[in-house]
Every structure is written in C-alpha cells, then in structure tokens.
Amino acid sequence: MNKITNHDQLLQLEHPFVKIPLEKFKSSLKVSQKHIEKEISTLTNTVSDISKKSQQGDMNPAEVEKALEAIVHRLSNLKRRLKDTRAEESLYSQRTKVRLQHLQEFTTIPTLDSDGFGRWSRVRLNRILVDYMLREGFRETAALLAKSEGIEEMVDIELFVQSRKVEQALQRFSCTECLQWCHENKSNLKKIKSTLEFSLREQEFIELVRKRQTQEAIAYARKHLIVWQETHMREIKKVMGLLAFPPSTNCQPYKGLYDASRWKKLIARFRADNFALQCFTPEPILNVTLQAGLSALKTPMCYIDEHRNVNCPVCDGETLGALATDLPLSHHLNSTIVCRISGQIMNEDNLPMVLPNGYVYSYNALMEMASMNNGKATCPRTGAVYDISQIKKVFIS
Amino acid sequence: MNAFVDDYEKISKRQRTLETNDPLDRLIALVNTAKDKIHDDPNSVQTALTGLGKMVKSVSSSIQDDHKELQSSLSKFTKALDKKYSCDMMAAMNPRAFDNKEKLLQKTIALHFIRQGNFTIGDAFAKEAGLDVPDELRHQFMDMFDIVAAMKTDDLEPALQWAKLHRPELEKRGSSLEFKLHRQRFLQLLKQKKDKLAIEYAQTHFGYFGFRHTAEISRLMCSVLFMGRLMTSPYADLLTPGTAADIQHMFTRDFCSLIGLSCESPLYLSVTVGTQALPAMIKMASIMKAKKAEWSQESEMAVESNLTDDTKFHSIFVCPVSKEQATDDNPPMMMVCGHVICKESLQKLCRGSQNLRFKCPYCPQESMASQAKNVYF
C-alpha cells in the first residue's frame, strides 16, 4: 500500500488551476461594480436635481414624468450592459466551484494504488494535455479532447481565443492588436511592471524608420516614446540613433534593431505577460511535471542497450528518452535491486540470490524457474545453467 | 480543502442571488411606481419625488453593500488560497531542457492517445501537429482494444484465440494467461449453473495445463460440488468481482509485452511519477534559492524521489560504505560473507593489498580482497 500523506503539498501544484477562473470572476465583478457605481451616483444626482427643480417650479409634472422615464431607460441600458459581465461572473464562479470540488475529491483518495487515484490522475493528465495543446495552438484537438472527456469546465479554451488573435497579428508584423490589449489591461500590466507597451512602440518606430518615413517616425517618437523618458531614456536614445542608419547597415546595435527576430521576442513577451496576468504558469504544467517525472526515473542504465527495460519510459530512446537527455539523473541514497527475470523488487520478502557466475536474481523467480525445469536455473543474461542448490544469499544493505 | 469548498459555496450563493435577484430591477420598479403615481395624481409630485429620493438612496446603498461584501469575501478567499497553496513551480524546472524537442513531445502525446485506445483524438492530434503515426502500431492497439471490449461483455473467445496463437511466446515469458482465460470461462459457466457444460469445457481445455496448474485445476473441479451456493462455500474467492478486471489487466500487459511495449502509457507513468516527485523538488529549489546556493542541476537531482515499487525499473547499487552509486569503474563486489560494497571501498578496507585479511564492516567475518567477486544486478 502506498499511502498518500502529502495531499496538501500535491494540491499546491493545482494552485493555478483554481486561480485562473477565480481571478476572472474577480475582475469581471470589478467591471460590473464600476458600471453600477457610476450609474448609481448619476441616478441619485438626477433624482435630487428633478426634485429641486420641481420644487422651485422649474419643472411641471409632465416634465418630471419624462425625466423619470429617461432614468428608467438608462437603468435598463445598464441592465443590458451588465448582462454580459453577469454571465461571465456566473461562468467563472461555476468553474471555480467545479475545480475546487475536483481537488476536494483528491483529498479523499487514500492510496496511490486505489482505482480512485488512477481515475483522478487520468482526468488530470487530460486537462494538462488540453492546456498544452491550447498553448501550442492545437485548438481543434484541445476542444475535441475536452468535450470527449467531459472536462470543459476544467480547461480554459476561450481564454486563448483573444491571445491567439494578438499573436497572429504580431506574426503579421502588426502591433495594433497587441497595443489595444495593453490598453485594456493597463493597470494590471503596471502591477507586474511590464514594459511590453514600450517595446511595441519602439517596434512601430523602427518600422517607420525602415520605410524611411523619417518625418512620421520623429512625430511618432514625440508622441509615443517620449512618455517613457523617465524610465527608458537609454533605449530611446539608442533607437533614435537608428534614424542615421539605413536598414542595410551592418553596424551594431542598429543591425540588431532592424532584425526580424525582434518580432519573435515580442510574441514571447506578450505570451509571458498574458500568462502572468491570467495566472497561468509561464511554461505548460505538462512540461513541468514531465521533466520532474523523467528526472526521477532517469538512470545511467536507461541509455545502455543491455540494461534497457521496456516498462521504463526513459529507456525509449525515440520519444521520452530523447526528451530527457538534458535533464538531471535521479538521486539515490539507498540501493534498489530489480530482478531481471520477474521485474520484481528484491527485499526481505523476495531475497536477492547470487548464481556462481556473480549474476543476482530474486529468490522467487529462481525457485519458480527451478520448479519447472527439474531443479535447474538458467541465467538469462549468460545462458549458464546451474543447479538450484548452488544459489547463495547476497546481502545488500 | 474542505474548508475552502465550504467557504466558496457561500460566495457562489451570493453571486447567484445577485444574478437571479437583480437589484437593478428593484430600482427600475421604484422609479416606475413614482412615475405612475405622478401620472395618476399630478399634485403628488413633491411627495412622490422625496419618497423616491429616499428609497433610491437606501436601495442603491444596499446594492453597493452587496457588491462590496461579495468582493471582499472573494478577495479574502483568494488570499487564504494563495497563502495555503501557492508555490513556485517554475523553480523546479529547466525551461531550456525541452528546447527544439517539441516534435518529440508531440509524438509521445499522439502515441499516448493511441495506447489509451483513443484513436479519434490521437488521429486529430497527429493531423493538427503534422505527425506520422505508424500504422502498424495503430492496428495492433485497435486489435487489443477490440479484444478488451469483448472481454468487458464477458466474451472471452477473441482473447482465447489470441492467447492460443501466441502460446509459445507467452509460455516463454512464464505467462499463464491462456489458462487464466479458460479458468474464467469455466467459472462463467458455473455461475450460470451449467455444470454439465462446465465439466465438458474442463475436459476439452484443461488437459494441456495439467502439468503446470494441477492444484488450481483440482480446486476448480471441486468447486462444481458447491454450484449454486459458491458464495458461502470455501470457494467464494473464485467469484470476487475483481477477477474479471485482473484478467483484462493481465491480457493488456502480456499483449504489450509481446509487441515490446510497456504495459502502461509512458506519458501517463512519467507524469504521475512527476506529480509525486515535484513537491520535494520545489521545496529543495526554494531552499536553495533562499540560501542563494546553486545546485549544479546538470548531472544529478538534489533530492531523492520516493518512487513506488512499480515505478522502479533499474537496479541501483549504492555502496553502504561510501554512499556512492556503483559504476563500471567502481563495480559492486561481494565479499566471502555475502555482503556487497563497491570496489573503491574494498580497496580502502584492504589498504590496497590483495592478500591482507580485513573484517567485513557489516559482520565479524574476515576475508581478503582477492576473494571478493564481481556481482551483476
């Protein structure tokens, strides 16, 4: 029995899983709050205004009626506007709930060998696979998998729709969509000290210079770069220097500023900022967990043909083994001896026995072999045949 | 976690009341009533308006209170959640380790779906990621899942056919799958109270296995005597509901082993092991960070992961004297008494001399380095 003793530690890995819809819920509440506050303060003002005017005789009852009708109209408008954010609130609130319940279910699983653990882990694998696919742009499969496994509320398909548009625009060398996104998330970007907007402005400036539209470029810099002078004066000076060099220049750093690879960097920075804002981990959870798992399993033997084990993921040199080459090896403080006949672990219940040729196998495997072969055991690695009476206990501490 | 679920339930209730019982409707109703009142009786303008002003004030402050309360309980909840569960997962990973290996990872994912019998998703993914999935593997797993599907409906025939076809390979691996399948069929007949058929079945099929499974066969035949009341007989264990699932597992394991694959999806296994290993790795990474010490991540992890027995695939010998892992240059050596230590430790104990008698560090017996033998795990 492999008891799970660290439920809470394992749940730490699921922090982003709950945090993502929770933050969406919070920010959408903030939006409706803002709308309501604004509308209510105008409402109270208008009502007292009407009341004053009618008292002073500046408004007759019919006019009052009309004014009240206008208020009703405004309120209904607000109600309509709130409908969307309310729907969003209820969507993300529901998701948070479902996810919390999924995690609670985990705390009721006692052991790693139970069926419940297998089921839960498979759901988890599927949802982190959907996350991976969304990040890598495999949207169709992601949606198909989420639907067929019934885990739509545990994945965030729609959160990738907008970011996808921005990324595609950047791939087309257009900053407009990304700048718009920066504008929408201005206060949050400030919180994480993002300088993405400056880099975008810089890029638009570079593009103007590339087209040799010098006047426009200078006007653009006056309007959009100079606002960053307090923090980014050095960069501004550098990029302004570009005006003196044609796009064909070989002089650094100007050659680098003209380079198209800057667009790739912009995409990467947008992704990083977008993930940070929405509480996504910078790298897919799949990669994080897979790296940990491969490291924990990786031994020097995985890469030596005669020691390969088909059941070991790292021993497959064509997939996971190749993926694990740059990862650290597992660390061991104690010996583990695995029987090469039965695959079982040798311990006090299944003692390690040594054949006269020095090869070690488990007691159970050798005895079973001997019972079917008239008391003879064959060493599967050397082909040597011995009588079972020749085996000897070996002590591994 | 239970406390969080309960707390959240309260929050979501609040959210639902806001949604279903929209306070804006109340405001609209108020304004409408005042308007109707003025329409019916133009003289009541003043009283209606003052009344409305008061009502609007009280309703709007209650709306704002509701909202604020919801928001503050939500942010309290988030803070508690962050405090208990947030961790720096990224500290435990090397973001460069999978560079330029996207295709390898994607291939692993596509194969994973095929191994799960989820061919639709596997194909969709392979198409979207531009991968080629070997047709042969696909067909093999399709066959396997067809047989498993039949087993799930208690139809063992396809599995039996497969086992018979691969009898020599299975026997070489010491698998008793074919016998276990016959045994299962026999028990099915017994459960249906067809004792005559069951005995006939045993006569036709059990003979071949007489040599290897004598005891089990006599037990099975004896259970016929208790047909109809097996549950209260000494043979109740034959009917445990787990057996059908066990035999399915046995079949998939043997099937995969015959085509040279692991019985569990390597991706699933690695991710599950990774989940177990991560908490300790994260903790270690954050301690390292706090101490500003660098662990040379290159070669070996800083912490031992406690693997379960079914995820240990290789023998690892750690010398009990030097605490170092054995290598080709420093292999494990067995002394005459049967205790094993690494060659370097042995050299130190005998002070470099092959014929000096020394005491084993773990038992009283004395021996010489020349008597020690290489062992292979």
Side-chain angles (χ1 to χ4, degrees):
Chain A
M1 277 294 146
N2 295 297
K3 265 185 125 169
I4 306 176
T5 51
N6 55 344
H7 282 108
D8 269 344
Q9 276 187 340
L10 289 169
L11 285 180
Q12 283 193 340
L13 310 177
E14 310 298 340
H15 184 243
F17 176 60
V18 181
K19 195 82 165 127
I20 292 166
L22 194 58
E23 283 300 320
K24 282 304 261 187
F25 180 21
K26 259 169 81 177
S27 65
S28 134
L29 256 185
K30 236 180 236 163
V31 174
S32 30
Q33 162 89 350
K34 228 161 85 192
H35 282 314
I36 290 177
E37 243 167 37
K38 199 175 132 206
E39 208 57 30
I40 277 179
S41 78
T42 39
L43 174 70
T44 33
N45 286 343
T46 345
V47 170
S48 71
D49 199 42
I50 295 170
S51 165
K52 216 190 274 163
K53 274 188 182 156
S54 101
Q55 226 165 25
Q56 290 164 349
D58 290 344
M59 246 179 163
N60 62 34
E63 279 169 335
V64 171
E65 239 182 273
K66 234 184 202 157
L68 290 181
E69 182 129 12
I71 291 176
V72 172
H73 189 68
R74 282 193 69 148
L75 284 174
S76 323
N77 265 346
L78 172 65
K79 201 175 139 79
R80 253 200 308 281
R81 233 181 308 151
L82 281 186
K83 217 177 142 192
D84 288 344
T85 57
R86 289 267 191 251
E88 213 169 83
E89 278 156 38
S90 102
L91 173 78
Y92 290 110
S93 169
Q94 172 64 18
R95 280 203 187 162
T96 314
K97 203 170 138 183
V98 167
R99 293 179 191 199
L100 282 168
Q101 278 163 351
H102 178 62
L103 297 186
Q104 189 191 25
E105 197 191 313
F106 177 71
T107 60
T108 63
I109 298 169
T111 66
L112 295 175
D113 324 280
S114 55
D115 287 347
F117 180 77
R119 267 196 304 275
W120 197 87
S121 303
R122 279 177 208 283
V123 173
R124 178 173 193 271
L125 177 59
N126 279 325
R127 64 182 159 83
I128 68 177
L129 280 171
V130 173
D131 171 71
Y132 171 85
M133 290 174 192
L134 288 171
R135 289 172 188 244
E136 298 297 315
F138 306 128
R139 281 173 31 232
E140 276 172 38
T141 321
L144 204 62
L145 179 60
K147 199 165 174 228
S148 69
E149 296 293 326
I151 50 169
E152 284 118 318
E153 289 187 310
M154 297 194 200
V155 293
D156 305 283
I157 293 176
E158 74 294 330
L159 296 186
F160 283 85
V161 175
Q162 194 200 10
S163 61
R164 185 93 191 136
K165 273 185 199 141
V166 174
E167 276 178 37
Q168 279 168 343
L170 288 173
Q171 271 158 9
R172 290 193 310 267
F173 306 123
S174 155
C175 290
T176 326
E177 289 79 357
C178 197
L179 280 166
Q180 166 77 19
W181 177 86
C182 286
H183 182 72
E184 282 164 21
N185 297 287
K186 206 167 184 171
S187 61
N188 286 328
L189 282 171
K190 216 172 180 176
K191 248 183 239 162
I192 59 165
K193 300 198 178 95
S194 161
T195 55
L196 176 64
E197 191 182 344
F198 176 75
S199 305
L200 290 165
R201 294 292 181 198
E202 215 179 11
Q203 192 63 42
E204 292 212 308
F205 174 80
I206 293 170
E207 293 310 312
L208 286 172
V209 180
R210 194 195 303 277
K211 288 186 228 148
R212 306 313 282 162
Q213 298 175 340
T214 319
Q215 287 309 315
E216 289 88 337
I218 292 171
Y220 186 91
R222 274 202 190 116
K223 194 171 167 199
H224 295 295
L225 292 184
I226 225 66
V227 289
W228 296 85
Q229 62 170 336
E230 269 178 38
T231 45
H232 289 74
M233 205 52 214
R234 262 187 48 207
E235 287 88 342
I236 296 174
K237 269 187 196 156
K238 192 170 111 187
V239 81
M240 289 309 287
L242 207 59
L243 286 168
F245 295 86
S248 57
T249 182
N250 272 323
C251 174
Q252 285 295 9
Y254 304 105
K255 191 180 178 211
L257 286 174
Y258 278 125
D259 202 88
S261 69
R262 278 182 64 96
W263 285 99
K264 284 216 175 87
K265 280 187 197 138
L266 281 176
I267 294 178
R269 293 204 29 209
F270 162 72
R271 288 195 125 201
D273 284 358
N274 184 33
F275 286 152
L277 284 195
Q278 308 206 45
C279 298
F280 280 91
T281 48
E283 298 286 327
I285 302 273
L286 179 72
N287 295 22
V288 183
T289 342
L290 193 59
Q291 279 195 7
L294 292 176
S295 270
L297 291 167
K298 187 177 166 186
T299 68
M301 274 81 85
C302 298
Y303 295 93
I304 304 170
D305 273 334
E306 55 174 289
H307 291 301
R308 274 177 215 253
N309 180 337
V310 284
N311 287 314
C312 171
V314 188
C315 287
D316 184 350
E318 279 175 35
T319 54
L320 292 172
L323 208 54
T325 45
D326 293 336
L327 293 172
L329 290 166
S330 55
H331 181 70
H332 296 274
L333 298 171
N334 297 301
S335 300
T336 303
I337 310 296
V338 182
C339 177
R340 294 285 286 253
I341 300 174
S342 65
Q344 282 169 343
I345 308 291
M346 295 183 232
N347 52 26
E348 54 279 13
D349 301 325
N350 190 12
L351 289 171
M353 305 301 284
V354 63
L355 296 178
N357 62 2
Y359 285 75
V360 177
Y361 300 101
S362 74
Y363 180 81
N364 293 353
L366 289 173
M367 286 322 254
E368 199 191 322
M369 201 195 281
S371 74
M372 280 191 285
N373 296 292
N374 297 321
K376 298 262 186 258
T378 314
C379 171
R381 281 180 281 178
T382 62
V385 182
Y386 299 101
D387 195 80
I388 197 68
S389 60
Q390 287 174 280
I391 65 172
K392 232 183 106 183
K393 260 192 227 171
V394 52
F395 301 99
I396 316 287
S397 39
Chain B
M1 197 28 94
N2 286 346
F4 283 100
V5 173
D6 292 345
D7 282 350
Y8 194 77
E9 185 50 42
K10 282 176 209 150
I11 293 175
S12 96
K13 228 180 224 162
R14 274 218 181 107
Q15 183 271 329
R16 278 200 302 270
T17 13
L18 260 188
E19 203 193 359
T20 51
N21 183 16
D22 196 334
L24 281 177
D25 289 336
R26 257 150 67 209
L27 275 179
I28 294 173
L30 276 176
V31 182
N32 272 329
T33 346
K35 201 184 77 186
D36 291 346
K37 215 168 161 193
I38 295 167
H39 186 81
D40 293 342
D41 177 9
N43 292 327
S44 67
V45 171
Q46 288 311 318
T47 46
L49 281 179
T50 2
L52 178 65
K54 269 189 205 147
M55 289 300 280
V56 163
K57 242 181 217 157
S58 83
V59 172
S60 32
S61 71
S62 91
I63 294 176
Q64 280 172 328
D65 286 349
D66 284 352
H67 243 269
K68 267 186 199 140
E69 225 169 292
L70 177 57
Q71 269 181 325
S72 78
S73 53
L74 197 57
S75 64
K76 227 169 151 187
F77 178 84
T78 319
K79 266 187 203 135
L81 192 81
D82 290 348
K83 199 172 164 207
K84 182 138 192 217
Y85 293 109
S86 72
C87 69
D88 186 8
M89 234 188 293
M90 290 307 122
M93 94 171 297
N94 169 8
R96 301 259 76 89
F98 287 172
D99 274 4
N100 303 319
K101 291 183 178 171
E102 295 84 0
K103 282 282 166 243
L104 281 172
L105 179 54
Q106 285 158 15
K107 189 176 161 197
T108 314
I109 294 174
L111 292 178
H112 164 78
F113 286 121
I114 288 180
R115 303 214 39 173
Q116 303 286 306
N118 203 339
F119 300 105
T120 331
I121 303 283
D123 291 346
F125 185 73
K127 197 176 148 212
E128 213 173 1
L131 297 165
D132 282 327
V133 176
D135 257 350
E136 197 196 339
L137 187 83
R138 205 170 171 280
H139 287 305
Q140 282 168 333
F141 275 98
M142 274 183 145
D143 289 346
M144 185 181 104
F145 282 104
D146 281 346
I147 297 176
V148 172
M151 285 171 97
K152 280 190 178 143
T153 60
D154 280 344
D155 176 9
L156 301 177
E157 204 41 49
L160 270 166
Q161 273 174 17
W162 181 86
K164 204 169 171 186
L165 195 68
H166 296 91
R167 190 184 271 174
E169 293 113 293
L170 287 171
E171 277 177 1
K172 211 175 127 204
R173 277 157 216 267
S175 158
S176 47
L177 176 71
E178 197 184 346
F179 175 69
K180 287 274 163 66
L181 286 165
H182 282 306
R183 174 182 179 274
Q184 186 70 7
R185 179 77 198 121
F186 174 83
L187 287 171
Q188 278 177 5
L189 290 169
L190 212 59
K191 243 195 273 182
Q192 294 160 3
K193 303 206 177 122
K194 296 178 183 155
D195 47 350
K196 228 177 118 197
L197 279 177
I199 292 169
E200 267 171 35
Y201 190 84
Q203 282 167 347
T204 1
H205 297 288
F206 282 179
Y208 178 78
F209 304 95
F211 180 64
R212 267 178 78 190
H213 300 283
T214 329
E216 184 66 22
I217 291 174
S218 63
R219 211 165 163 251
L220 285 171
M221 297 318 290
C222 204
S223 69
V224 178
L225 299 177
F226 294 90
M227 194 182 70
R229 54 186 189 92
L230 270 178
M231 279 320 277
T232 53
S233 75
Y235 299 99
D237 63 292
L238 295 177
L239 293 182
T240 45
T243 22
D246 282 349
I247 202 159
Q248 269 170 39
H249 182 74
M250 196 173 176
F251 167 74
T252 41
R253 197 194 58 201
D254 284 348
F255 191 101
C256 292
S257 142
L258 244 54
I259 54 176
L261 292 171
S262 59
C263 81
E264 185 54 87
S265 149
L267 181 70
Y268 172 76
L269 200 139
S270 312
V271 167
T272 314
V273 167
T275 315
Q276 304 305 315
L278 259 180
M281 289 170 71
I282 294 170
K283 207 168 175 186
M284 195 64 188
S286 59
I287 292 171
M288 291 287 193
K289 218 172 166 185
K291 283 191 171 169
K292 297 209 168 103
E294 282 264 333
W295 177 261
S296 57
Q297 273 253 320
E298 323 271 292
S299 62
E300 205 176 300
M301 289 206 306
V303 277
E304 184 175 29
S305 312
N306 293 317
L307 298 177
T308 54
D309 280 356
D310 57 341
T311 53
K312 290 175 183 163
F313 301 109
H314 299 282
S315 294
I316 308 270
F317 181 74
V318 180
C319 173
V321 176
S322 67
K323 297 288 171 201
E324 280 172 13
Q325 270 185 46
T327 59
D328 284 347
D329 299 329
N330 186 21
M333 306 288 284
M334 181 177 70
M335 293 173 281
V336 176
C337 54
H339 285 103
V340 184
I341 59 176
C342 275
K343 196 172 183 175
E344 283 174 12
S345 306
L346 189 76
Q347 295 300 336
K348 273 186 198 148
L349 282 173
C350 70
R351 284 176 238 140
S353 152
Q354 287 293 304
N355 298 315
L356 181 83
R357 291 190 78 80
F358 64 91
K359 189 188 99 48
C360 165
Y362 300 97
C363 73
Q365 195 165 339
E366 288 187 354
S367 63
M368 289 182 288
S370 56
Q371 294 171 296
K373 277 172 62 179
N374 272 64
V375 286
Y376 307 92
F377 296 113

